[in-house]
Amino acid sequence: PRSTLFPYTTLFRSRLVAQLHSAPDSPKRVGGQMRLASLMLSTNPRDAAREALEVIRVSPDNLEAWKLVVIAEHLANRDSMALTVIERMPPQVYATAQKDTNFAITLASIQQSLHRYGDAEDLLESARARVESDPVALRAIDNQMAAVSLQQGHPEKAVQGYSALLQEQPDNSDAWAGLISALHQAKQDRLARAQMDLMPPSVRDHLQLDPGYLQVAASVYTEMHESQKALQTISVVRNYYRDRQLAVPYSVEAQRAWALIALGDDNEIANTLVQLSHRSDLTPADQMQHHALWATWSIRKALRVEKQGDPHRAVAILEMASQAYPENVDIRRALAGTYVRMGNAKSAMSLYEEVDWYSAKKEDFLGAISAASAARQIAMGQQWISTALERYPEDPQILTAAA
């Protein structure tokens, strides 16, 4: 097993590195260091980069060493450092390196990850012009161009690119993964779900090992109300990280929580959200999503409890959620609606009077008008109707409420 061999391979590698570094500078040592760096590239890119940098120290114009450092930094998710290395490459080395299509694609991927999309597209266009007669290279470049379009927020353009690739190469797993991701980003989840069923079996099997694709697939399942499939898919992703003794990313755990909310498993949702609350690695965006998870679960649970005949408990759930997240308009909207249905229009009115009507949604106006009508607050209701009609002059629901 790999876990059993790991201490021995690490020891062997350490001894080999020590022997290479103690040897006098020579072409033979350089060759040994490059072979060692290449072997370490996939498993330990940081060490691979250090070894290649040792080669550059001795041989500053070594093309393969420069390329390997850039690729290693990219694989280590250190694209800012990779860009620094690129900028330090001797001009003639860089000019030669760019002629390597695979390396040009790596350069574009680095620029893409740094949100320098124009530079990424320029690199890919130049590479495309050099390999017009090489269909394999063209497909690789077009795949990366579609990925740039997707990350730029142009999913429709990415869909076109990936679809064209699949016309030529139906078993291109990268293109299939990109197509599903682009369709999901374009909010065409029904079409994405249909395409998932059209994948060749070999592609489907291959993508079962790709955690990035599986996360997108789980999102598609959730949007199509196939929550059980979403949960099963996320379980595969969680196991992928656990098998490698890596921390499961918050985004994966959040997806699992969304699927649990859709299934209505209150006990498991509560346990999951409490566990996630204890994580110390949440970014501001993660924290916002975590608040959204709590809010959504509270609203759905309250609605379910109300339908079961216990509106007072529903109000208690929403009031507690409102205290925890006072700025959440969805909770406020749900609480006001529950007040109206309970006949407590006065409490609903007090909530609607705090709404920022400049950013209010149609549902806010409808709820407020309903509350004003129930509370016999005609003047306030007319004011809200007037604003709603200005903003939604042709909306049948607003017109009905006004009537």
Side-chain angles (χ1 to χ4, degrees):
R2 186 176 179 181
S3 59
T4 305
L5 291 173
F6 181 74
Y8 302 103
T9 55
T10 304
L11 179 61
F12 173 76
R13 187 176 64 204
S14 299
R15 288 178 176 174
L16 181 58
V17 169
Q19 289 177 357
L20 283 170
H21 287 185
S22 63
D25 293 340
S26 67
K28 188 175 180 180
R29 169 181 164 172
V30 167
Q33 286 179 295
M34 285 300 296
R35 284 194 292 275
L36 177 61
S38 298
L39 288 171
M40 292 191 294
L41 189 59
S42 61
T43 57
N44 200 332
R46 295 289 299 278
D47 283 351
R50 292 189 190 99
E51 205 60 38
L53 284 169
E54 279 293 313
V55 172
I56 292 170
R57 182 183 62 80
V58 176
S59 178
D61 293 331
N62 190 306
L63 171 64
E64 295 305 318
W66 280 105
K67 286 162 59 176
L68 198 147
V69 174
V70 172
I71 293 168
E73 296 291 4
H74 178 55
L75 291 175
N77 296 316
R78 286 161 45 95
D79 287 307
S80 294
M81 181 59 71
L83 186 61
T84 300
V85 174
I86 292 166
E87 291 169 348
R88 292 180 179 177
M89 292 175 75
Q92 71 277 12
V93 172
Y94 180 72
T96 305
Q98 273 193 302
K99 296 176 183 178
D100 179 338
T101 301
N102 290 330
F103 186 69
I105 291 172
T106 299
L107 294 178
S109 183
I110 291 167
Q111 300 287 9
Q112 176 187 340
S113 71
L114 296 173
H115 308 293
R116 299 171 61 162
Y117 302 117
D119 291 337
E121 289 175 336
D122 289 345
L123 283 164
L124 293 170
E125 291 289 355
S126 298
R128 205 176 196 286
R130 288 195 298 270
V131 296
E132 287 183 349
S133 59
D134 185 345
V136 174
L138 284 174
R139 283 195 291 267
I141 292 168
D142 289 344
N143 189 79
Q144 191 64 37
M145 291 182 78
V148 172
S149 297
L150 182 58
Q151 191 169 337
Q152 275 186 287
H154 303 310
E156 294 82 5
K157 184 178 178 181
V159 168
Q160 294 175 0
Y162 288 125
S163 298
L165 279 166
L166 290 171
Q167 288 288 331
E168 298 178 11
Q169 194 179 22
D171 60 348
N172 185 327
S173 57
D174 288 339
W176 274 108
L179 176 64
I180 301 305
S181 184
L183 288 170
H184 173 62
Q185 189 172 310
K187 301 188 183 304
Q188 297 186 47
D189 290 292
R190 188 175 300 279
L191 181 55
R193 181 67 183 87
Q195 291 296 319
M196 287 162 68
D197 285 339
L198 294 176
M199 281 183 185
S202 59
V203 171
R204 189 178 299 112
D205 292 343
H206 178 75
L207 291 178
Q208 291 302 305
L209 304 174
D210 182 343
Y213 165 76
L214 291 174
Q215 276 194 261
V216 174
S219 296
V220 173
Y221 287 135
T222 299
E223 292 296 325
M224 296 305 297
H225 309 291
E226 297 180 61
S227 302
Q228 196 62 55
K229 277 192 174 182
L231 206 55
Q232 292 169 355
T233 304
I234 286 298
S235 294
V236 175
V237 179
R238 294 174 88 210
N239 290 335
Y240 172 90
Y241 289 102
R242 288 173 172 172
D243 290 346
R244 289 158 179 77
Q245 298 182 338
L246 299 171
V248 180
Y250 174 80
S251 62
V252 176
E253 298 290 16
Q255 269 194 291
R256 179 173 177 270
W258 285 117
L260 289 169
I261 288 173
L263 286 171
D265 189 342
D266 286 336
N267 290 333
E268 188 62 28
I269 296 165
N271 292 333
T272 298
L273 293 182
V274 169
Q275 289 173 8
L276 293 179
S277 298
H278 295 151
R279 289 185 65 143
S280 59
D281 62 340
L282 301 190
T283 65
D286 292 337
Q287 291 173 350
M288 287 182 63
Q289 181 167 199
H290 194 59
H291 294 169
L293 282 164
W294 274 108
T296 302
W297 176 50
S298 299
I299 292 167
R300 293 196 181 190
K301 185 177 181 181
L303 288 173
R304 193 161 57 250
V305 167
E306 184 183 356
K307 287 180 181 179
Q308 292 169 353
D310 195 348
H312 293 285
R313 185 172 169 230
V315 166
I317 292 169
L318 291 171
E319 286 179 341
M320 188 179 298
S322 183
Q323 290 172 6
Y325 307 109
E327 302 301 319
N328 190 290
V329 295
D330 293 325
I331 294 174
R332 184 190 303 153
R333 186 183 299 126
L335 181 56
T338 306
Y339 279 143
V340 170
R341 290 189 293 275
M342 287 180 63
N344 189 354
K346 184 177 179 181
S347 294
M349 283 291 293
S350 66
L351 286 175
Y352 282 118
E353 286 169 358
E354 298 175 3
V355 169
D356 176 10
W357 293 105
Y358 289 102
S359 59
K361 297 180 180 179
K362 182 181 76 172
E363 291 76 15
D364 293 312
F365 285 104
L366 291 171
I369 294 166
S370 175
S373 177
R376 298 288 189 266
Q377 297 286 336
I378 305 304
M380 185 62 74
Q382 287 177 333
Q383 181 179 329
W384 285 331
I385 286 172
S386 176
T387 305
L389 286 172
E390 288 179 7
R391 199 170 298 179
Y392 307 101
E394 304 296 331
D395 187 90
Q397 289 180 296
I398 295 294
L399 292 170
T400 300

